[in-house]
Amino acid sequence: MAQSTPKAGLRMQLQPLMPEDMRSELIAALKVQNVQNVRVGSGRRFAMPGSHSNSPAIRNTEADKRQQLRLQAIREIRTSEESFLRQLDLLLEYFVTPLRTNGFLTEKVHNQIFGQLDTIHNLSQELLKKLDDDLDNVVKAFTNLGPFFKLYSVYAFDYRNSLCTLQSLMDKNATLKRYIANTESRPEVQMKLISLLITPIQRIPRYKLLLQQVLLYTSPSDMAYKALQGSIRLVEQSVSHINAVVEDYENTQRLIVVQNALTNKSLKLVKPGRKILKEGFLRKLKTDGTTSRKYCILMSDMFMYCRVLKDVEVLLTEGSSIACCCVFPLKKCKIVELFRGNFRLTCSGDGSIFSADGQEGESHTWYVAIREAIELHVQCRKTLRKMSSNRKPMRKKHLQRLQPEDDIMWLLRRKMASPDRIQKPEKVKRKGLWPFRSMNCLDRMDRSIGEPSGLQQQQQQHYVPMGSVVEHRYPQAVTTSNTSKSQLN
């Protein structure tokens, strides 16, 4: 028994502090968390990543990595610009110049299709030159040339019309079509002419993406950070300008299609600032409870519904024909959403109830679009007063009386000639008893005592007998007094 006691105490001393399974789990967890054993002198301690002992080295590594990514993004700008310039060279060398010299196109048509490509080519060359001179200073290159990027908007404005003109010429001239097809298949080109023509329009949005990538890897404490933000804003302005120009052009073309489809040619739809917001079919409720299918067009300043005469399935096309039934100016319009997908549009006491031609959700979409258009139009009129809308809707009988002149002036004449605008009689100006305006107290103070002064002369000139004043201002009293006098006599 005496010998067993030390063995038991020895076993107690050699027993681990935690079970073996828990110890293995802790070691595995420490390995997952990348805990490093750091030997200091004769002892050991655990150091987690990101501690103060190695943070400067990690920060330097992150800064170097960020700088490498930034330089790579700048090199991507130069590489893409070089590729874009190569495409412009192919377009000018194999298409633009030969079509001018070979006589396939006249000078006017050639300028209409390829007019701005020379300017864009020169601008791209200048940008590539600035990038080659100082690749790190990409901000300076875009700051200097950023305002000239709006030249792309002229090309974007003529792009769609240029494609239509080119396609029409190729359909009429088989030789021109064969020449373009042979040039596109050459080993030096291997690209379609349409693909080459669209590259300038895609270039400005590409600049924005590339500069944003450079900004992502630029530290906010860097001196070029704010300047880079300014360059991105310049490019964004150019992108917005190009998009606005293209949108205005497409909207004008759509207004022309609607104008040509109308049977009443006196109603002028194409006007500056007018836009088509929504168009489609709606059901209009009649007085007898039935509905009729109408083609409705919501514009920025009016709502119009028409009767379909020819070839309208979803939207108007070149061969469509419609007859305008009513025009609601948005200035005095009010819209209320009713039950079961219906809404009522009123204007100066006149209105109609519309419902969706298909799904009920379409009616709510129309309601929201018309309500927002009314709110925007009223808000715009608060800052800019225009004489471009009427207070009353124009029905079919009014539309038939339109002359071939501008309908705005006709609407103004109709509004001025309406019976509710009666001209009020002019107020009679009262003449004062004393000429206070012409009185001068210091007039001719050096006159003699017996001579009348200037004030007395003016009073004598402006003197009005009291009887005439009373007779002028109170004619009934004078008549009554004369009658009483005659009775007394």
Side-chain angles (χ1 to χ4, degrees):
M1 296 292 297
Q3 295 179 355
S4 62
T5 303
K7 292 181 180 179
L10 184 60
R11 286 197 300 269
M12 292 295 295
Q13 291 179 0
L14 297 178
Q15 187 176 1
L17 297 178
M18 63 178 65
E20 187 67 24
D21 54 350
M22 294 180 61
R23 186 164 177 265
S24 60
E25 290 179 1
L26 178 60
I27 294 175
L30 293 177
K31 289 181 179 179
V32 171
Q33 297 179 2
N34 295 326
V35 177
Q36 301 175 355
N37 293 332
V38 180
R39 185 181 299 274
V40 180
S42 59
R44 289 186 178 184
R45 67 182 180 89
F46 292 98
M48 301 294 294
S51 60
H52 296 286
S53 61
N54 57 354
S55 58
I58 294 178
R59 284 199 297 268
N60 292 335
T61 304
E62 292 179 354
D64 294 340
K65 185 177 180 180
R66 181 184 293 270
Q67 185 65 24
Q68 292 177 1
L69 293 175
R70 183 177 185 275
L71 184 59
Q72 183 178 355
I74 295 175
R75 288 175 179 172
E76 178 65 23
I77 294 178
R78 189 202 174 280
T79 304
S80 62
E81 188 66 25
E82 188 176 6
S83 177
F84 172 64
L85 187 59
R86 191 181 306 112
Q87 292 177 349
L88 291 179
D89 290 335
L90 292 176
L91 184 59
L92 292 174
E93 181 179 357
Y94 293 98
F95 292 99
V96 178
T97 304
L99 289 177
R100 177 187 291 139
T101 56
N102 295 340
F104 287 106
L105 303 177
T106 62
E107 189 68 22
K108 181 179 179 180
V109 176
H110 189 276
N111 293 334
Q112 182 180 355
I113 299 175
F114 309 109
Q116 303 298 325
L117 287 175
D118 292 332
T119 306
I120 294 175
H121 182 266
N122 296 334
L123 185 60
S124 178
Q125 278 185 333
E126 186 66 22
L127 178 60
L128 187 61
K129 180 181 178 182
K130 289 183 177 296
L131 292 176
D132 290 337
D133 293 342
D134 190 359
L135 186 60
D136 292 334
N137 199 358
V138 66
V139 177
K140 184 178 180 181
F142 279 90
T143 303
N144 295 336
L145 299 178
F148 298 98
F149 289 154
K150 290 185 178 180
L151 294 173
Y152 285 79
S153 61
V154 182
Y155 180 83
F157 182 79
D158 297 332
Y159 170 72
R160 193 176 298 275
N161 191 22
S162 301
L163 290 184
C164 295
T165 304
L166 183 61
Q167 186 64 39
S168 177
L169 291 174
M170 291 173 61
D171 294 339
K172 296 178 182 178
N173 193 344
T175 306
L176 175 63
K177 183 177 181 179
R178 185 167 54 254
Y179 172 80
I180 293 177
N182 294 334
T183 307
E184 290 173 348
S185 60
R186 293 184 62 169
E188 302 90 343
V189 181
Q190 293 295 322
M191 290 187 70
K192 296 289 184 181
L193 178 58
I194 298 178
S195 302
L196 292 173
L197 289 175
I198 202 175
T199 50
I201 298 178
Q202 299 172 343
R203 190 57 190 163
I204 299 298
R206 180 66 176 167
Y207 285 146
K208 178 182 176 181
L209 296 176
L210 293 173
L211 289 176
Q212 287 177 346
Q213 191 72 13
V214 177
L215 183 67
L216 180 63
Y217 299 123
T218 303
S219 175
S221 60
D222 196 346
M223 296 178 59
Y225 187 81
K226 292 184 178 181
L228 189 57
Q229 287 181 330
S231 301
I232 294 176
R233 282 194 294 268
L234 286 176
V235 176
E236 287 178 348
Q237 291 175 4
S238 301
V239 173
S240 301
H241 186 260
I242 292 173
N243 293 335
V245 168
V246 174
E247 183 181 356
D248 291 343
Y249 174 77
E250 293 178 351
N251 182 76
T252 304
Q253 296 299 317
R254 189 59 188 169
L255 282 173
I256 292 175
V257 172
V258 177
Q259 179 75 62
N260 295 333
L262 288 173
T263 56
N264 188 358
K265 302 301 181 182
S266 301
L267 186 60
K268 306 296 182 182
L269 297 181
V270 182
K271 296 184 182 300
R274 178 175 290 172
K275 297 181 180 180
I276 295 180
L277 304 179
K278 189 175 179 60
E279 54 181 319
F281 284 99
L282 287 174
R283 287 281 178 179
K284 178 184 174 296
L285 183 64
K286 295 183 179 181
T287 55
D288 57 355
T290 60
T291 59
S292 59
R293 194 166 182 254
K294 302 294 183 182
Y295 190 81
C296 302
I297 303 172
L298 174 62
M299 305 181 195
S300 56
D301 61 340
M302 68 180 185
F303 174 82
M304 178 176 66
Y305 66 87
C306 310
R307 181 167 52 91
V308 177
L309 300 179
K310 180 183 177 183
D311 295 341
V312 179
E313 296 181 358
V314 180
L315 293 176
L316 295 178
T317 57
E318 295 294 338
S320 302
S321 179
I322 55 176
C324 181
C325 298
C326 184
V327 175
F328 286 91
L330 297 184
K331 178 183 178 181
K332 291 295 181 180
C333 282
K334 295 181 180 180
I335 186 170
V336 179
E337 191 172 17
L338 305 177
F339 59 93
R340 293 182 182 178
N342 299 335
F343 64 89
R344 178 179 177 84
L345 182 64
T346 59
C347 180
S348 299
D350 191 358
S352 301
I353 298 178
F354 297 92
S355 61
D357 187 40
Q359 301 177 357
E360 294 184 0
E362 184 67 17
S363 176
H364 181 72
T365 305
W366 272 97
Y367 165 75
V368 173
I370 297 175
R371 185 191 62 188
E372 293 178 352
I374 294 173
E375 294 175 355
L376 181 61
H377 182 64
V378 172
Q379 184 179 2
C380 292
R381 286 188 60 85
K382 290 181 180 179
T383 57
L384 179 62
R385 187 168 183 82
K386 301 182 296 182
M387 56 175 190
S388 61
S389 63
N390 186 20
R391 296 176 181 269
K392 298 182 179 180
M394 294 174 59
R395 289 290 180 180
K396 189 175 181 180
K397 59 182 180 180
H398 302 137
L399 295 171
Q400 291 176 353
R401 293 167 53 189
L402 279 178
Q403 301 295 328
E405 57 185 5
D406 192 1
D407 59 327
I408 293 179
M409 300 306 298
W410 187 87
L411 287 174
L412 290 176
R413 288 200 302 271
R414 175 172 171 255
K415 184 166 61 175
M416 294 298 296
S418 57
D420 56 344
R421 297 181 61 89
I422 302 175
Q423 294 184 357
K424 297 181 179 180
E426 297 182 358
K427 295 182 179 180
V428 180
K429 295 183 179 180
R430 296 182 179 181
K431 295 183 179 180
L433 297 179
W434 305 99
F436 295 105
R437 294 183 179 180
S438 58
M439 184 173 64
N440 188 0
C441 297
L442 302 178
D443 181 48
R444 308 287 298 273
M445 295 297 294
D446 55 346
R447 292 174 178 267
S448 60
I449 298 176
E451 185 178 0
S453 63
L455 177 61
Q456 294 175 355
Q457 292 178 359
Q458 292 177 1
Q459 290 179 357
Q460 291 175 3
Q461 294 175 0
H462 295 278
Y463 175 74
V464 180
M466 184 59 67
S468 61
V469 173
V470 174
E471 184 178 359
H472 174 69
R473 299 185 61 182
Y474 306 98
Q476 297 179 357
V478 174
T479 306
T480 306
S481 63
N482 293 336
T483 305
S484 61
K485 285 181 181 180
S486 62
Q487 292 177 358
L488 289 175
N489 294 331

